[in-house]
Amino acid sequence: MARDPRKIDSFLQQNLLHVPNNTDQLSPYLTTSKEVIDEAARVHVNLLSSLIGQKKYVILIGAASFENKGDPAITIGELKVFKRLNLKLVYYVNEENCTDHFFRNAVDVASRFSRDELVIMMQGGGNIIGYEGVNHCRMKAFQEFPTHQTILLSQSVYMRGSRSWVEKMVEVYCCRPQLSIFLRDRLSLSIASRLFTNGTRLFLAPDMAFGVGAVARFSPPFHDLLWLRRADDESPRYGDLPDFPPGVSVHVADWWRAGWDTPRGTGTLETAHNVLQNGFLFLQRGRVVVTERLHGHILCTLLDVPHVILDNADRKLSSYHLTWTRGVRNVRLARSASEAGRLALQLLADYESLVPSVFPGMDIREY
């Protein structure tokens, strides 16, 4: 797409609160991982600094440290964005320990600050509506902090659950003038705009894991192709993988519940950091990656690893890619496993001289 320097210049000068549904205007022109990372940082800082004004303190609801590498990546990205905004984190509630005890502590900490000083932030992710536990956690936060400015950080809408549950979630998230929701892709923004009306403010914003920033490769590849294959409710469910030519080594695994465990830290945030680093380590095992997980795509982008995105039935991956990363040269989007395999082989050929070779000795079979 041809660049129009005047339009780009005008957009870069704009307060994004004035174009909440069109913050992705530069996406077609971003062709490298670095450009995508830099633009994500700019959008986050522009939106959040305009929304929170002079507030200096933040309580984070829903920090994650479990083994699904994407959620801890979001937590660490959020902490880094807070730091860029000179926001001091004064308390957090772990998503897995979202109990009355921790909310009493959160309320006690909040009482030390005025509402003009403190903002409530809620962890981003892909779970608004569809995952009951985390939505119950946010409901507690709405009850305990009914008048505080609250920002639900970048989310995908996951339309799963009974009709009565979805209707309940619509009541929870709509009609709250103190609440702003960041949606991380255009499909989710469209759904949210239809469901959450009459007060709640909606903004298009990249996934918060981009707050981590660019990461240099720190481990060699051990396979030509790493296929990050998920086996849960969000799996593409395509059956067998395609065949690959002799001489192309392929490793298929998930990074969660598959023996790729992370050392625990002394608390939620240290563990979240460890899990994120373990996710980076996992992805570097391939010269090229095929990913069925959105954060496989995002962490590969942070690492600048060539990769193929294999979309799922809910179009979560393709919607994110088409919103923010569609111009990146070393990323491909596939709609089937056979197409993913073909595109991965193309990337291996295209980037043969640009990515490290497989670690020595990996062709020796242990027996």
Side-chain angles (χ1 to χ4, degrees), residues 58-323:
V58 59
I59 289 176
L60 176 63
I61 306 297
S65 60
F66 47 91
E67 280 291 351
N68 184 2
K69 311 300 186 285
D71 297 276
I74 290 170
T75 295
I76 299 303
E78 289 164 348
L79 296 180
K80 293 197 172 189
V81 172
F82 298 164
K83 185 173 182 179
R84 290 187 194 110
L85 293 166
N86 294 315
L87 271 175
K88 181 175 176 56
L89 181 70
V90 293
Y91 194 74
Y92 63 84
V93 175
N94 186 315
E95 180 185 320
E96 295 179 289
N97 291 308
C98 195
T99 63
D100 291 343
H101 167 76
F102 289 103
F103 270 101
R104 283 194 296 271
N105 292 342
V107 170
D108 177 63
V109 171
S111 69
R112 304 168 198 171
F113 307 95
S114 73
R115 285 194 296 273
D116 293 332
E117 296 177 300
L118 177 71
V119 60
I120 306 299
M121 299 277 194
M122 295 182 174
Q123 165 94 354
N127 45 50
I128 193 169
I129 292 183
Y131 286 89
E132 292 195 18
V134 67
N135 284 288
H136 278 299
C137 188
R138 295 187 195 120
M139 290 163 65
K140 285 178 179 283
F142 290 141
Q143 292 167 4
E144 298 294 349
F145 302 105
T147 58
H148 279 78
Q149 183 185 21
T150 302
I151 301 172
L152 174 52
L153 295 165
S154 303
Q155 277 283 334
S156 295
V157 179
Y158 185 35
M159 294 297 289
R160 180 183 71 170
S162 66
R163 185 171 186 174
S164 62
W165 172 255
V166 173
E167 290 172 351
K168 181 177 181 178
M169 289 300 97
V170 170
E171 291 179 6
V172 166
Y173 290 105
C174 85
C175 319
R176 292 185 181 272
Q178 86 282 9
L179 174 64
S180 299
I181 302 178
F182 287 7
L183 286 309
R184 65 186 182 186
D185 60 80
R186 287 205 159 274
L187 178 60
S188 294
L189 177 65
S190 174
I191 297 170
S193 299
R194 188 176 75 248
L195 297 178
F196 309 142
T197 56
N198 298 328
T200 301
R201 302 176 72 186
L202 306 178
F203 300 88
L204 184 65
D207 189 271
M208 297 304 297
F210 273 102
V212 171
V215 176
R217 181 186 277 272
F218 55 84
S219 182
F222 292 91
H223 313 279
D224 289 311
L225 175 60
L226 173 71
W227 195 299
L228 174 51
R229 186 177 194 184
R230 67 187 305 164
D232 57 12
D233 291 345
E234 296 186 50
S235 167
R237 302 190 185 284
Y238 47 76
D240 294 334
L241 266 63
D243 293 327
F244 289 93
V248 175
S249 60
V250 181
H251 183 69
V252 183
D254 197 2
W255 62 15
W256 193 19
R257 302 184 181 125
W260 198 257
D261 297 333
T262 303
R264 301 291 94 182
T266 55
T268 295
L269 301 186
E270 183 182 359
T271 298
H273 176 271
N274 292 352
V275 174
L276 168 61
Q277 297 306 312
N278 202 20
F280 284 134
L281 185 64
F282 181 93
L283 293 170
Q284 290 172 86
R285 299 161 78 195
R287 302 183 76 210
V288 166
V289 172
V290 175
T291 176
E292 301 173 14
R293 290 188 176 274
L294 176 60
H295 282 92
H297 165 48
I298 291 171
L299 269 59
C300 276
T301 304
L302 298 181
L303 286 163
D304 199 27
V305 168
H307 62 284
V308 178
I309 305 164
L310 180 53
D311 204 14
N312 64 356
D314 294 316
R315 294 185 292 149
K316 180 171 80 172
L317 283 77
S318 61
S319 185
Y320 191 89
H321 173 62
L322 294 172
T323 305

